[in-house]
Amino acid sequence: MQRKSFHNVMNNKNKEISELEIEIKKEIDSFYNKLVSIKDLGGLEDIRTEYTGKKSFIIKSLKDIGSLPRDLKPVIGRELNTARSKIELEILKKEKFLKNIEYEKKLKNEGIDLSLPGREVVTGKKNIISRVIEEIEEIFIGMGFNIAEGPEVETDYYNFEALNTPRDHPARSLHDTFFVSENILLRTQTSPVQIRYMEKNKPPILIISPGKVYRRDYDVSHTPMFTQIEGLVIDKGINFGNLKWTLETFSHEIFGKDRKVRFRPHYFPFTEPSAEVDVSCNICGGKGCRVCSGSGWLEILGAGMVDPSLYSFVGYDPEEVSGFAFGIGIERICMLKYGIDDLRLFFENDLRFINQF
Ligand SMILES: [Zn+2]
């Protein structure tokens, strides 16, 4: 399209300003008509040059203002500059619009947005419970133990009866059992694994059995599911001295050689004698504090010599063999080892918690 420059228009000094305004309006109309049909950034560049470039009507006219009569200069100048701003603004808006379209097209074609910054790959981490179980397993494997496992859904027989806890036994009420049916339950302890293992194996027996156990309980120091490691040693001539050495060795390995270990008489249905094992409190060094309830000691596990009456369930001769058993609460060990005061933190799988270890 051939357009006159404003200079040409203004050559005839007699023309009215209104006529010049008409020329500007025509220029803007022509710009709008072309802008509507622009479909890509290349086309937009072309009309940018055409309407705001050095050879464009408006720029050429602005250059020619100098030769206009003095009284016309400001009026024409203002008209031209307003028109240029309008055109430039429209071009910027269209440019933004077209860039968005091209970006979306690119996304669709590539199926991946290469312009986004890379994302850090966050790898999972083992729960502290699993890592402490592994640590404890290694300690016992180092002493010659094997690992045995059993079902979490158990029969009443293996969970209670074969462990010297018949139906009317008062110790049952301490367990807050989840019953599936009258004879099927979620195991309340890992001890049933002992019976299952003894049924299939003859002494010497040297096993630990880690696993989840279940009880109906929920507060800062109880959760419906928790983790135990049960240990069993049976052979000819096993005595309480062997039990003490084994558990002292374990306590020193897991908590450090500087910790004192003591055995306190206790009661468990399937061991006789039974003991609870404490380590000296690491917070107060044994002087007594809030964590150890002023005693200077922290309970870590229960143990005892296997009650000979248990052997009748698995066909061992109590005159021939003897042994000891122990049960360790993993969460308790974690709490004492790392100073954690709410048991529920172990099961929430909050990475902010897990990543601290
Ligand atoms: Zn203390």
Side-chain angles (χ1 to χ4, degrees), residues 3-102:
R3 284 191 322 282
K4 296 170 282 181
S5 98
F6 227 115
H7 183 58
N8 298 332
V9 174
M10 294 305 296
N11 274 343
N12 184 348
K13 290 181 182 178
N14 295 325
K15 285 212 173 189
E16 297 292 330
I17 291 174
S18 64
E19 270 188 65
L20 311 174
E21 284 175 337
I22 289 167
E23 286 298 324
I24 292 172
K25 192 177 178 304
K26 272 190 201 166
E27 178 73 358
I28 288 176
D29 286 347
S30 130
F31 165 75
Y32 273 119
N33 284 335
K34 283 199 182 169
L35 187 69
V36 170
S37 64
I38 296 297
K39 296 274 187 289
D40 57 56
L41 290 167
L44 190 69
E45 252 342 280
D46 290 344
I47 72 162
R48 195 205 295 272
T49 309
E50 188 179 344
Y51 289 90
T52 63
K54 276 181 194 160
K55 291 174 183 167
S56 66
F57 170 78
I58 287 175
I59 300 302
K60 266 158 74 183
S61 302
L62 277 168
K63 273 185 190 160
D64 289 342
I65 276 180
S67 59
L68 291 176
R70 180 173 296 224
D71 54 337
L72 283 181
K73 278 182 190 174
V75 185
I76 301 298
R78 193 165 55 237
E79 295 279 345
L80 287 168
N81 277 318
T82 305
R84 182 166 75 166
S85 301
K86 202 178 219 175
I87 288 170
E88 282 172 348
L89 183 68
E90 289 302 324
I91 288 173
L92 281 178
K93 282 204 275 188
K94 183 90 176 190
E95 184 176 45
K96 202 176 169 193
F97 173 75
L98 290 173
K99 276 186 173 167
N100 269 337
I101 289 184
E102 284 198 5

Side-chain angles (χ1 to χ4, degrees), residues 280-298:
S280 54
C281 178
N282 56 329
I283 309 290
C284 61
K287 288 191 192 83
C289 69
R290 193 182 59 86
V291 175
C292 58
S293 308
S295 71
W297 296 95
L298 299 162

Side-chain angles (χ1 to χ4, degrees), residues 15 25 98 103 147 172-173 217 227 236 240 242 244 275 316:
K15 285 212 173 189
K25 192 177 178 304
L98 290 173
Y103 179 73
I147 293 173
R172 279 203 180 203
S173 60
D217 225 344
T227 325
K236 285 177 184 156
F240 203 88
N242 301 125
K244 275 191 82 174
Y316 291 180

Side-chain angles (χ1 to χ4, degrees), residues 80-356:
L80 287 168
N81 277 318
T82 305
R84 182 166 75 166
S85 301
K86 202 178 219 175
I87 288 170
E88 282 172 348
L89 183 68
E90 289 302 324
I91 288 173
L92 281 178
K93 282 204 275 188
K94 183 90 176 190
E95 184 176 45
K96 202 176 169 193
F97 173 75
L98 290 173
K99 276 186 173 167
N100 269 337
I101 289 184
E102 284 198 5
Y103 179 73
E104 270 166 29
K105 221 187 270 173
K106 190 175 149 201
L107 268 188
K108 216 180 233 176
N109 292 342
E110 293 177 351
I112 186 170
D113 182 1
L114 296 173
S115 67
L116 282 174
R119 270 184 218 160
E120 192 192 349
V121 177
V122 183
T123 51
K125 205 165 178 183
K126 267 186 195 164
N127 190 293
I128 183 71
I129 300 286
S130 304
R131 273 180 291 144
V132 168
I133 289 176
E134 283 171 13
E135 194 183 334
I136 293 175
E137 282 176 351
E138 267 173 41
I139 293 169
F140 282 106
I141 288 169
M143 290 191 262
F145 282 71
N146 294 310
I147 293 173
E149 282 176 340
E152 288 173 27
V153 179
E154 258 302 359
T155 60
D156 187 283
Y157 174 79
Y158 285 109
N159 194 81
F160 288 123
E161 213 147 315
L163 290 162
N164 263 0
T165 321
R167 279 178 196 276
D168 54 356
H169 199 287
R172 279 203 180 203
S173 60
L174 301 173
H175 282 224
D176 292 319
T177 312
F178 283 112
F179 280 95
V180 177
S181 68
E182 200 186 334
N183 286 312
I184 308 290
L185 46 83
L186 298 183
R187 67 179 180 192
T188 61
Q189 49 192 346
T190 40
S191 315
V193 182
Q194 295 182 10
I195 304 295
R196 289 179 175 277
Y197 192 86
M198 287 191 283
E199 281 177 343
K200 294 195 184 88
N201 298 274
K202 294 281 158 228
I205 282 172
L206 204 64
I207 55 161
I208 53 164
S209 53
K212 297 185 187 79
V213 300
Y214 303 85
R215 294 189 194 187
R216 289 188 294 124
D217 225 344
Y218 188 66
D219 59 39
V220 289
S221 55
H222 298 89
T223 48
M225 181 189 81
F226 54 103
T227 325
Q228 279 189 344
I229 287 188
E230 192 86 8
L232 180 68
V233 176
I234 296 175
D235 202 355
K236 285 177 184 156
I238 297 291
N239 57 43
F240 203 88
N242 301 125
L243 180 158
K244 275 191 82 174
W245 178 84
T246 304
L247 296 178
E248 271 170 5
T249 304
F250 161 75
S251 305
H252 286 148
E253 289 279 334
I254 196 96
F255 290 114
K257 297 225 184 320
D258 55 323
R259 304 288 283 276
K260 289 193 198 94
V261 180
R262 78 170 181 186
F263 290 71
R264 249 182 317 108
H266 195 72
Y267 165 79
F268 297 111
F270 52 91
T271 49
E272 180 59 39
S274 303
E276 276 191 330
V277 179
D278 302 335
V279 291
S280 54
C281 178
N282 56 329
I283 309 290
C284 61
K287 288 191 192 83
C289 69
R290 193 182 59 86
V291 175
C292 58
S293 308
S295 71
W297 296 95
L298 299 162
E299 179 207 328
I300 56 164
L301 58 89
M305 300 306 290
V306 176
D307 190 323
S309 63
L310 242 72
Y311 298 135
S312 63
F313 287 98
V314 293
Y316 291 180
D317 180 357
E319 301 297 319
E320 274 273 296
V321 294
S322 57
F324 64 86
F326 55 89
I328 304 168
I330 303 302
E331 286 81 4
R332 175 136 185 98
I333 299 288
C334 290
M335 288 169 103
L336 296 178
K337 199 170 156 71
Y338 297 106
I340 298 157
D341 57 5
D342 189 339
L343 195 57
R344 293 171 292 196
L345 286 168
F346 292 124
F347 303 101
E348 285 167 356
N349 282 326
D350 186 332
L351 281 174
R352 288 170 301 181
F353 174 73
I354 293 172
N355 283 336
Q356 292 176 56

